[in-house]
């Protein structure tokens, strides 16, 4: 097993920190904290470089808030300065560690993503009779930090890089959606072990997304190399096994549950299901059927709510037409990954944006019309 060393000079290199700042500001360029940081970019990066080099860097406090997408999720956002550090670390270690990832792990990887995962899922579903769809119960809040650090040490041997990774992990807020009632004893635990172990990573950090992928990398290899199920793929903590042999998947479910105990994780008792693929399966916001791929109703409802919000924002002059066109094109591109021609006709054909107190209207852009009619 290859372990990477001597990474620290690359991480704290000024050019790497500058690249990290550029990556961290994508989509957030005009926020106050980003503008303040960029106003003195060179000095801010130099100060960060010095703190990291002397190992005096201390992460700031998180801003925690709840979203509904569709279920309530607790999101913890790190200060922008810390997000630059997260990108600087991932710029150097992510591509190296990802070499050990299986081909069919799709979350948060350059060139992969939801749409490629959907295409692969559809291919597998239409060529096998059964699917075992699995979901891990409260995944991000349940990640054991000591186990994560051990997994990182199997890949890295650079002391300073490991110090930075540990610092980011230890500074993570402990999510409140895992109570004492959620604490479960795993093999070898003493009475108070579940309460003593630190667990949980904040959803939203680039490092959290990468660490979460790494945390389940061993499971991916276990399924592929030991269970030898015909086809398997994973997107974050949602994964699926396909076979024409139902008994094989029943046995696989039991074996996976036992393996996850070594990571102090549990399968979700309701969301983990084994069924025939002809009944249709939900995956990354779509429903995959034998002859078509539809958008899930809850996903469509959320998108329509966002569309109504765009119309309200345009009505009071809070958003530019160019931004609306970009978002509509993005949504149209997403819908095209399903069999959605009539749906797109219904949504976009008569779409109107009106300024309040004015008769001016913004028609759907010609490129949207052309794409919808294609």
């Amino acid at each position: 097993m290859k372990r990477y060393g001597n990474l620290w000079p690359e991480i704290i290199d000024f050019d790497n920190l500058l690249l990290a700042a550029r990556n961290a500001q994508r989509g957030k360029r005009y926020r106050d904290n980003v503008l303040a940081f960029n106003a003195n970019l060179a000095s801010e990066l130099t100060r960060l470089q010095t703190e990291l080099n002397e190992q005096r860097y201390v992460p700031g406090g998180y801003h925690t808030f709840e979203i509904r997408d569709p279920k309530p999720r607790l999101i913890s956002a790190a200060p922008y300065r810390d997000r630059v550090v997260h990108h600087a670390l991932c710029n150097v270690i992510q591509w190296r560690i990802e070499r050990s990832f299986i081909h069919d792990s799709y979350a948060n990887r350059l060139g992969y993503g939801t749409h490629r995962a959907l295409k692969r899922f559809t291919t597998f579903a239409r060529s096998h009779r059964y699917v075992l769809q699995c979901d891990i119960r409260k995944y991000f809040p349940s990640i054991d930090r000591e186990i994560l650090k051990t997994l990182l040490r199997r890949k890295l041997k650079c002391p300073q890089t490991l110090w930075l990774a540990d610092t980011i992990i230890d500074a993570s807020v402990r999510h409140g959606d895992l109570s004492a009632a959620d604490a479960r004893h795993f093999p070898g635990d003493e009475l108070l072990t579940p309460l003593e172990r630190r667990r949980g990573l904040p959803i939203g950090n680039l490092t959290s997304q990468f660490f979460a992928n790494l945390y389940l990398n061993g499971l991916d290899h276990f399924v592929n190399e030991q269970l030898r199920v015909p086809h398997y793929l994973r997107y974050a903590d949602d994964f699926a096994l396909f076979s024409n042999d139902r008994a094989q998947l029943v046995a696989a479910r039991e074996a996976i549950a036992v393996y996850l105990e070594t990571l102090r994780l549990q399968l979700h008792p309701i969301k983990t299901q084994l069924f025939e693929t002809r009944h249709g399966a939900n995956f990354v916001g779509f429903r995959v059927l034998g002859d078509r791929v539809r958008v899930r109703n809850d996903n469509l409802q959320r998108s329509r709510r966002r569309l109504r919000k765009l119309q309200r924002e345009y009505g009071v002059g809070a958003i530019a037409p160019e931004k609306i066109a970009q978002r509509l094109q993005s949504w149209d591109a997403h819908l095209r990954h399903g069999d959605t021609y009539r749906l797109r006709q219904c949504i976009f054909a008569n779409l109107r944006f009106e300024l309040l107190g004015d008769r001016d209207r913004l028609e759907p852009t010609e490129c949207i019309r052309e794409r919808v009619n294609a």
Side-chain angles (χ1 to χ4, degrees), residues 214-259:
L214 172 63
Y215 202 78
L216 291 179
N217 184 43
L219 171 68
D220 298 337
H221 287 278
F222 172 74
V223 174
N224 273 354
E225 297 161 16
Q226 297 190 39
L227 298 186
R228 297 187 179 280
V229 173
H231 287 106
Y232 163 85
L233 62 79
R234 177 171 65 86
Y235 188 90
D237 63 321
D238 296 326
F239 53 97
L241 296 78
F242 299 85
S243 176
N244 291 321
D245 183 351
R246 190 178 189 280
Q248 183 183 34
L249 295 182
V250 170
R253 175 172 178 163
E254 297 302 317
I256 289 170
V258 172
Y259 182 91

Side-chain angles (χ1 to χ4, degrees), residues 125-137:
R126 290 177 177 174
S127 58
H128 296 86
R129 184 176 178 183
Y130 298 102
V131 59
L132 171 62
Q133 278 196 274
C134 301
D135 183 274
I136 295 176
R137 184 173 182 269

Side-chain angles (χ1 to χ4, degrees), residues 117-355:
L118 174 66
K119 184 176 180 180
R120 189 73 158 168
F121 186 98
T122 303
T123 299
F124 290 164
R126 290 177 177 174
S127 58
H128 296 86
R129 184 176 178 183
Y130 298 102
V131 59
L132 171 62
Q133 278 196 274
C134 301
D135 183 274
I136 295 176
R137 184 173 182 269
K138 296 185 177 180
Y139 179 50
F140 274 85
S142 298
I143 292 175
D144 187 280
R145 298 182 186 178
E146 290 307 312
I147 293 177
L148 175 58
K149 292 177 183 179
T150 299
L151 294 174
L152 282 168
R153 279 157 176 76
R154 292 178 184 173
K155 302 293 184 183
L156 308 173
K157 59 182 179 181
C158 176
Q160 299 96 326
T161 303
L162 289 168
W163 164 80
L164 179 57
D166 290 351
T167 299
I168 294 171
I169 293 169
D170 291 337
S172 300
V173 293
R174 184 165 182 167
H175 283 282
D177 55 348
L178 269 184
S179 62
D182 293 308
R184 178 190 166 184
H185 287 79
F186 293 92
D189 282 358
E190 297 180 357
L191 180 62
L192 297 179
T193 300
L195 299 178
E196 294 171 345
R197 297 187 71 97
R198 299 192 67 196
R199 53 188 171 162
L201 294 179
I203 300 174
N205 281 0
L206 177 67
T207 48
S208 296
Q209 295 166 4
F210 172 63
F211 291 156
N213 249 358
L214 172 63
Y215 202 78
L216 291 179
N217 184 43
L219 171 68
D220 298 337
H221 287 278
F222 172 74
V223 174
N224 273 354
E225 297 161 16
Q226 297 190 39
L227 298 186
R228 297 187 179 280
V229 173
H231 287 106
Y232 163 85
L233 62 79
R234 177 171 65 86
Y235 188 90
D237 63 321
D238 296 326
F239 53 97
L241 296 78
F242 299 85
S243 176
N244 291 321
D245 183 351
R246 190 178 189 280
Q248 183 183 34
L249 295 182
V250 170
R253 175 172 178 163
E254 297 302 317
I256 289 170
V258 172
Y259 182 91
L260 288 176
E261 289 183 346
T262 66
L263 299 175
R264 305 186 68 81
L265 299 173
Q266 301 170 259
L267 287 174
H268 196 290
I270 298 174
K271 295 181 180 179
T272 299
Q273 298 180 338
L274 196 169
F275 53 92
E276 292 187 43
T277 54
R278 65 185 177 89
H279 296 306
N282 295 328
F283 190 65
V284 294
F286 289 85
R287 182 159 183 81
V288 179
L289 301 164
D291 59 347
R292 60 197 180 281
V293 177
R294 290 181 171 175
V295 181
R296 286 184 55 178
N297 287 336
D298 55 350
N299 190 20
L300 186 58
Q301 289 169 4
R302 289 198 303 276
S303 297
R304 281 175 166 158
R305 284 197 295 270
R306 295 190 190 108
L307 180 58
R308 289 194 292 270
K309 182 181 178 183
L310 280 180
Q311 290 174 314
R312 291 195 299 271
E313 289 177 347
Y314 179 76
V316 297
I319 188 170
E322 296 77 12
K323 291 289 184 182
I324 293 176
Q326 290 174 6
R327 296 191 186 183
L328 292 180
Q329 289 173 6
S330 177
W331 191 25
D332 175 62
H334 175 69
L335 292 177
R336 281 175 171 267
H337 288 273
D339 299 300
T340 58
Y341 175 78
R342 291 184 180 178
L343 174 63
R344 288 182 288 114
Q345 284 283 334
C346 179
I347 293 173
F348 294 118
N350 299 306
L351 191 58
R352 299 289 185 273
F353 289 82
E354 298 184 7
L355 285 171

